[in-house]
Amino acid sequence: MKVEPRAVARFETQVAVVTGGASGIGAAVARMFVGEGGAVVIADLNSDRLHAMTDELGERCVALDADMTVETDVERTVGTAFSKFGRLDVGFNVAGIGNVQRIVEMDRATWDNVLGANLTGVMLGMKYEARQLLAQGHGGAIVNVASLNSIVPMHMGSAYCATKAGVAMLSQCGALELGEAGIRVNTVSPGLTRTPLTQAGLAVDEIRDAYLERIPLGTVGEPEQIAAAAAFLASREASYVSGINLIVDGAWATTGYPDLRFMAERQAAR
Ligand SMILES: NC(=O)c1ccc[n+]([C@@H]2O[C@H](COP(=O)([O-])OP(=O)(O)OC[C@H]3O[C@@H](n4cnc5c(N)ncnc54)[C@H](O)[C@@H]3O)[C@@H](O)[C@H]2O)c1
């Protein structure tokens, strides 16, 4: 029997919310979801980029100017998925901000701001997405975006790293609480990825080279490579995967140990 290649459209008839969906990784997730047959509500603070996304993705993309730290905005975002498309299948909580500041110089307003955007925003997303999924009664998936910094600390990164470790733990708690309703909750943790968030740093040769030294695969990640991991976790292919933190970093996290190959070379030379 001849086996025909299968057209892959993993999200046909499905509906997702993508927070931070106007830019970078969130925009790549929205493109992938719509490209594979689904519809999305993207929520973001960047209204110019939101319009560009609706122009690009057409009627299967609804854009909302919404702040994920404001509970009524999050509720409105998830409510829009239901009112416009009649259901919700997946919540992608991607919105986040960067921050570099030493602990001894940390001002309270900055700390609160980073926690709000990166941790409280994800928790609120999960809360309303899970409520909608529970009300529908047919399970679903939540994918939270953390960072390599959920497991690797960074100089001047206390607030950022703490929020990302928090997101990974939030996902695990979600997996535990929501599993009996068939709702899977997972984390994707990107390493260095080429987006507007990292644009300025990557433009400085010294910074880019210092990063690349730590990446065995030898390249900066592209948003589509992170979106592919998020899409896998959202898809039926991952139907038995819940509570994991999937690190997508070009093997960066393997590089903590000193490189002792010179010892073997020395011994060989003896
Ligand atoms: N780019 C990287 O190297 C990298 C690495 C690890 C983790 N991440 C994480 O990936 C996620 C996406 O980052 P990105 O690189 O695509 O950055 P980005 O700046 O391109 O996109 C983030 C989007 O989130 C939106 N946003 C921020 N706060 C928001 C809020 N309160 N409400 C609604 N929208 C808000 C921004 O407006 C922006 O459009 C972030 O959580 C980031 O921490 C990025």
Side-chain angles (χ1 to χ4, degrees):
M1 192 178 88
K2 195 175 165 216
V3 178
E4 295 294 338
R6 193 161 55 99
V8 180
R10 290 174 292 180
F11 304 116
E12 205 83 58
T13 75
Q14 292 194 22
V15 178
V17 160
V18 186
T19 78
S23 176
I25 293 166
V29 167
R31 285 190 189 100
M32 194 163 284
F33 203 84
V34 170
E36 291 200 35
V40 290
V41 174
I42 57 174
D44 206 293
L45 298 169
N46 186 334
S47 35
D48 290 346
R49 286 288 315 145
L50 280 172
H51 288 132
M53 287 296 289
T54 47
D55 287 350
E56 181 189 332
L57 295 179
E59 59 188 20
R60 280 192 282 128
C61 174
V62 170
L64 287 183
D65 208 325
D67 183 344
M68 294 304 107
T69 67
V70 175
E71 188 153 359
T72 48
D73 278 15
V74 182
E75 189 172 14
R76 177 167 59 94
T77 299
V78 176
T80 301
F82 188 71
S83 62
K84 290 280 182 186
F85 299 118
R87 59 189 281 146
L88 179 72
D89 297 281
V90 185
F92 293 101
N93 298 306
V94 189
I97 57 174
N99 174 251
V100 281
Q101 197 160 42
R102 287 175 215 282
I103 291 170
V104 289
E105 284 154 8
M106 182 67 66
D107 63 277
R108 181 64 198 267
T110 303
W111 176 262
D112 287 347
N113 195 33
V114 179
L115 258 72
N118 290 1
L119 187 56
T120 309
V122 173
M123 184 279 291
L124 291 174
M126 287 175 69
K127 173 178 171 179
Y128 287 96
E129 290 152 7
R131 279 189 181 183
Q132 179 61 39
L133 294 174
L134 288 169
Q136 293 170 182
H138 54 65
I142 295 175
V143 180
N144 295 325
V145 171
S147 166
L148 175 62
N149 294 125
S150 64
I151 58 164
V152 176
M154 166 174 79
H155 276 292
M156 298 185 290
S158 60
Y160 186 78
C161 296
T163 59
K164 294 306 186 178
V167 167
M169 181 51 77
L170 253 182
S171 303
Q172 286 190 288
C173 292
L176 188 63
E177 279 186 30
L178 299 166
E180 65 184 10
I183 300 169
R184 299 180 299 102
V185 186
N186 289 293
T187 301
V188 171
S189 279
L192 180 66
T193 311
R194 193 185 315 280
T195 71
L197 187 70
T198 52
Q199 203 169 6
L202 286 173
V204 180
D205 289 350
E206 241 180 325
I207 297 180
R208 195 190 50 246
D209 293 348
Y211 276 127
L212 285 175
E213 245 175 59
R214 302 301 298 253
I215 305 175
L217 284 184
T219 56
V220 177
E222 298 298 333
E224 295 72 24
Q225 293 176 303
I226 311 304
F232 163 70
L233 290 174
S235 75
R236 291 187 195 95
E237 292 169 322
S239 60
Y240 201 54
V241 181
S242 194
I244 69 155
N245 183 3
L246 179 55
I247 312 288
V248 187
D249 68 345
W252 179 324
T254 64
T255 61
Y257 206 75
D259 184 350
L260 302 178
R261 282 176 292 182
F262 71 93
M263 294 292 289
E265 282 160 23
R266 265 188 210 168
Q267 275 164 6
R270 268 190 213 138

